[in-house]
Amino acid sequence: MNSQAAALKPVAAVSERDMANAIRALAMDSVQKANSGHPGMPMGMADVATVLFSRFINIDPSAPNWPDRDRFVLSAGHGSMLQYALHFLLGYDDMRIEELQRFRQLGSRTAGHPEYGHALGIETTTGPLGQGISTAVGMALAERMLAARHGADLVDHFTYVIAGDGCLQEGISHEAIDLAGHLKLSRLIVFWDDNAISIDGPTSLSTSMDQPARFKAAGWHVQSVDGHDMEAVAAAIEAAQQSDRPSLIACRTMIGKGAPNLGGSEKTHGAPLGDAEIAATRENIGWAYAPFEVPDDILFAWREIAERGQAARHAWEQRLAASPQRQALESAVAGNLPDTVFEALGAFRKEHVEKATKVATRKASEMALGAINATTDLTVGGSADLTHSNLTITKGMDRIAPDDYAGRYIHYGIREHGMAAAMNGIALHGGFVPYGGTFLCFADYARGAMRLSALMGQRVIYVMTHDSIGLGEDGPTHQPVEHLAMLRATPNLNVFRPADIIETAECWELALKSKNRPSVLVLSRQNLPMLRQAHSVEAHSDEPHSDENRSSQGAYILREPAEHRAVTLIATGSEVEIAVAAAERLETEHRIAAAVVSMPCWELFEEQDADYRKAVLGSAPRIAIEAAARLGWDRWIGDTGAFVGMAGFGASAPAPDLYRHFDITPEAVAAATLKLII
């Protein structure tokens, strides 16, 4: 246990009560000036936050990203003024008083909810309730895993979370606390703002849950305190730091604490207090200062906390400089994969072009992962209880278990949403490249956290198999139809649907190289032929293999007819095989020259210049083939194009029967072509 386990005395002669009142004043003044925001939670949790930061937390605002800092997650992100007030008081360079005065205004650092990357020191984007506590589970897990690899002398920090009633009511919280308790993530400490108030009124309107009992049942260390008794809060934190389990500290608080007329009411949750109530609050808490004014002695007390953190960082840097683990840890935190990973993928592609390997793309993904995981230990895999369906584990990957964090494979259980949030936390923490699997249909369950992966620009890789009606007998409940459209509509998210083993390896390479955006690998259950050699331009050269990653352009011409093309067939994934067969049928039976375009990634194709896109798509009529909904395809086929795909939900039957039943066949494509051009 590091030195922070022992509580420190208050840092200056100024009382911690005055330090907490600075938070209250800044919060109510900022919300009032913006005429928008949530003053109640910051005012209610000001005492808890003051004790945590004054006596325990190790952060350095002058170096907000040093690897062994404690993480602070404001899961109840609507109370963002708590975090912004703390950052101003602690002296973060980008959080001047002017930023608090511009709360919730265009271009300010003080967005309505904390946004990762928008201001220094914000560890994760929060606001969608439940996401913060669930992401923090991934951070706490990453800390334990990194410590197992590099030693407690270099990696030994806590993840602190402030969560509200809403966070704990959201279903994702159950997934998160269950996983954290099972894995005994002892460096995770959650403060529950137990104020018994929600937007509609008292929480008793909608819940009778005994939250401490729920956490105890999940294996957590649980304490309950008066959240305004600072010594009780400090004692609870000390006890939590000594526990061998994750900890919940239930802090009974008053929302809007300090407001004499509105304190304890839902009216303080999401609206300004008003000039009269703010004036009364100033008098009630003894804050005789103008709006946005913090006296020097109180500000000095807060800035001393930052100095303590800076001293802790300097001591850590000295340990790092003397450690034989220095290079390995720095490389892991930087997230730079070695060149050998991509050399291995290049050799993999060459081997399987020559072998013309025919496998399902989920199997191709497993094979590519074998090459990846053998050449780097930065990749950390997992699955939501579908390991041997998603094929996400490879030879030599030891499993993470309670009290044993040296492995690199995580059994997330049937917790798709929790898995996605935990992977966000692992990526945000640093030291690993997380990937995790489930069925594409269950992207619905993971959607909230996947959206935040994209919003935060995190390298999280989603391995989503059983990607269409091709999964067969499990039926329409498991056959994704609208999911590709949903994912493609998400900004800053690469959606890859490879057609064969070569494209699968190429897409894995692109996902690993995309450090600032997540990727979804959409993979088939059924076997698919290797198409590149048989039909690509390279096949006509002396060397069938090319080092070029053609999927990096998002779409490319897989088959170009000898004559001027009369139609362009555009397809993804398992339907590229159908497009090729249709093109051959059109040529041999109807003397129609058809080009085939494989489009594994719409997003990357959109990023190509206009000339390249025009060359690939051509000027001939276009037909899109995909065993999914049409939505979005008109972007590529135009007003006069045709679509061969799904118009409704699937059915339960063997995959070949389903493709025939829903008329997604070479014959159907040929018929659509004839109707379009004749």
Side-chain angles (χ1 to χ4, degrees), residues 71-338:
R71 270 62 169 180
F72 173 69
V73 174
L74 187 65
S75 189
H78 55 274
S80 56
M81 267 311 306
L82 175 67
Q83 183 146 34
Y84 301 145
L86 285 167
H87 284 204
F88 163 71
L89 293 167
L90 291 166
Y92 280 84
D93 286 343
D94 65 342
M95 199 57 67
R96 309 298 175 116
I97 196 67
E98 293 80 11
E99 294 296 333
L100 274 60
Q101 293 168 337
R102 296 196 304 138
F103 179 52
R104 288 186 163 222
Q105 305 307 301
L106 185 64
S108 73
R109 298 283 185 186
T110 46
H113 294 84
E115 296 181 25
Y116 172 81
H118 195 66
L120 297 174
I122 296 175
E123 300 287 1
T124 183
T125 296
T126 58
L129 294 176
Q131 291 292 333
I133 185 175
S134 306
T135 302
V137 170
M139 294 178 180
L141 176 56
E143 188 273 344
R144 291 290 79 199
M145 293 171 63
L146 210 61
R149 293 189 181 193
H150 303 288
D153 199 41
L154 298 181
V155 183
D156 185 10
H157 53 265
F158 288 90
T159 300
Y160 297 103
V161 181
I162 289 180
D165 291 296
C167 292
L168 301 192
Q169 287 184 38
E170 290 287 355
I172 190 176
S173 75
H174 183 80
E175 299 182 22
I177 69 171
D178 190 4
L179 181 62
H182 170 71
L183 291 175
K184 297 183 179 180
L185 300 180
S186 59
R187 296 301 194 277
L188 176 62
I189 299 175
V190 174
F191 301 91
W192 170 32
D193 179 19
D194 178 18
N195 59 35
I197 292 293
S198 62
I199 293 175
D200 285 353
T203 54
S204 59
L205 290 171
S206 59
T207 181
S208 301
M209 176 67 70
D210 184 338
Q211 293 290 359
R214 181 164 74 111
F215 278 79
K216 286 179 183 177
W220 286 54
H221 175 256
V222 175
Q223 303 170 84
S224 296
V225 299
D226 177 349
H228 305 301
D229 182 338
M230 291 182 161
E231 294 307 319
V233 171
I237 297 173
E238 287 186 291
Q241 287 187 336
Q242 299 295 335
S243 176
D244 62 354
R245 294 171 288 159
S247 289
L248 173 74
I249 303 176
C251 303
R252 187 63 172 164
T253 62
M254 174 185 287
I255 192 170
K257 172 73 172 176
N261 302 304
L262 297 180
S265 166
E266 69 273 9
K267 293 178 181 179
T268 70
H269 172 83
L273 298 182
D275 290 333
E277 185 71 0
I278 286 177
T281 302
R282 277 187 154 76
E283 182 176 354
N284 188 45
I285 66 176
W287 191 260
Y289 310 105
F292 299 102
E293 179 184 340
V294 179
D296 288 344
D297 58 343
I298 294 176
L299 199 58
F300 177 77
W302 278 104
R303 298 291 163 88
E304 279 196 336
I305 298 170
E307 292 179 9
R308 184 187 79 216
Q310 187 176 70
R313 174 176 63 85
H314 288 158
W316 177 84
E317 288 174 341
Q318 291 176 355
R319 297 197 302 275
L320 178 67
S323 173
Q325 286 288 320
R326 176 179 181 176
Q327 184 175 355
L329 179 60
E330 289 179 339
S331 178
V333 170
N336 296 323
L337 293 166

Side-chain angles (χ1 to χ4, degrees), residues 4 16 101 196 228 261 284 309 414 419 422 443 489 581 595 613 630 668:
Q4 65 183 304
E16 287 179 308
Q101 293 168 337
H228 305 301
N261 302 304
N284 188 45
I414 308 165
M419 175 181 72
R613 294 199 306 270
R630 177 172 181 154

Side-chain angles (χ1 to χ4, degrees), residues 2 98 117 126 155 166 259 317 370 392 426 557 588 654:
N2 59 22
E98 293 80 11
T126 58
V155 183
E317 288 174 341
T392 42
I426 292 169
I557 301 170
T588 57

